[in-house]
Amino acid sequence: MSINIFGPPFDWAATGSMVQGVATLVGAIAVLGAAKMGADTFEAWRRQKVTERHIEQAERILTAAYKARRALKYVRSPLVDGWELAAAEEHFKDNHGADWENRAGENQQRLKTVRALQNRLIKTADEWSELNEVLPAARALFGPDLEDAVEKLARQFIDVNIMLEAHMDDRGADPDYTREVKAAIYDVAPHGSVNAVTAVINEAVAEIETICLPTIRLEGPKTSVIKK
């Protein structure tokens, strides 16, 4: 009778099955890990692209606001050059002829000044258009507060033009009305007072800065400066 000093025979089949099972489990874990890593990588890439999009649009909106503020300041400057008045006079002579010549000197001067400012406004059409172009992105990416601020700034171009038209027909019968019109079309204010239109422009730009600058600087969101 023989004795097996090495113990019972080793079950290679069972061991192979176990190893195969472990390999399958390890493979599954590896696949899951790769999938998780891929998902994390995609999510990080997506967040980066969203952040870049926000930064890009914030820069565009803020740049448009600065250009618009500068354009409105140019339009509303009370200093009108002689060549601007001469160009305005040529416009009236070409389009109104004898009717222009029959107007009194003071009336002519007022009309020429108004037309000179209107010519400035025409030159700033691109700045006004840019504000309107960024409105959808302002709302979609940053919300209604930014949209309202951009829209308010864009509206000043229209309001100034309305007041210029009003001043063209103003005969000075109502001094208070004349002062209101001039306060709208000129970026000036009596000593110790505030120009209402200038204040609206500055407030709108300040609101745009409050919302856009933190995004550009990769800071946290700020609270609106405009009280609701």
Side-chain angles (χ1 to χ4, degrees):
M1 178 178 179
S2 62
I3 299 176
N4 187 354
I5 62 174
F6 298 105
F10 194 81
D11 192 345
W12 290 105
T15 302
S17 299
M18 181 184 69
V19 171
Q20 184 178 9
V22 171
T24 301
L25 178 62
V26 170
I29 294 174
V31 170
L32 291 175
K36 178 65 167 59
M37 182 180 300
D40 291 344
T41 301
F42 173 78
E43 182 61 23
W45 175 84
R46 191 186 69 82
R47 285 197 301 268
Q48 179 182 346
K49 289 301 179 183
V50 170
T51 300
E52 289 175 356
R53 177 67 172 166
H54 276 73
I55 294 173
E56 174 189 341
Q57 291 302 312
E59 289 176 343
R60 184 185 177 194
I61 293 167
L62 191 58
T63 299
Y66 287 156
K67 287 183 176 179
R69 180 175 60 183
R70 190 179 303 113
L72 285 166
K73 190 173 186 64
Y74 159 69
V75 170
R76 300 174 66 229
S77 172
L79 301 176
V80 182
D81 291 332
W83 67 267
E84 292 181 288
L85 296 174
E89 185 171 6
E90 285 299 316
H91 166 80
F92 286 117
K93 286 181 178 180
D94 293 342
N95 292 278
H96 300 281
D99 181 61
W100 168 255
E101 298 298 339
N102 292 331
R103 290 181 178 269
E106 182 179 348
N107 192 20
Q108 281 189 346
Q109 185 63 30
R110 175 172 51 81
L111 292 177
K112 286 192 295 184
T113 301
V114 169
R115 182 62 197 182
L117 299 185
Q118 287 178 326
N119 286 340
R120 292 178 180 177
L121 200 57
I122 292 170
K123 292 179 180 179
T124 63
D126 288 345
E127 285 79 358
W128 177 75
S129 295
E130 180 66 15
L131 284 177
N132 287 281
E133 289 176 6
V134 301
L135 274 172
R139 182 176 184 86
L141 297 177
F142 299 97
D145 285 346
L146 184 57
E147 180 192 30
D148 290 345
V150 173
E151 193 170 27
K152 180 186 294 185
L153 185 58
R155 192 164 58 242
Q156 301 315 302
F157 287 87
I158 299 173
D159 290 348
V160 168
N161 187 51
I162 291 172
M163 286 304 192
L164 285 171
E165 294 287 348
H167 193 41
M168 188 169 285
D169 297 327
D170 184 19
R171 298 295 189 271
D174 184 346
D176 291 336
Y177 175 74
T178 300
R179 280 193 293 270
E180 179 184 350
V181 170
K182 287 186 175 181
I185 66 176
Y186 293 126
D187 185 18
V188 294
H191 181 68
S193 66
V194 175
N195 185 294
V197 174
T198 303
V200 170
I201 293 170
N202 291 336
E203 183 182 69
V205 173
E207 172 74 348
I208 294 169
E209 286 179 326
T210 298
I211 298 173
C212 290
L213 281 177
T215 297
I216 295 172
R217 297 169 178 170
L218 296 178
E219 300 171 0
K222 302 297 182 183
T223 304
S224 170
V225 297
I226 296 179
K227 295 182 180 179
K228 304 298 182 184

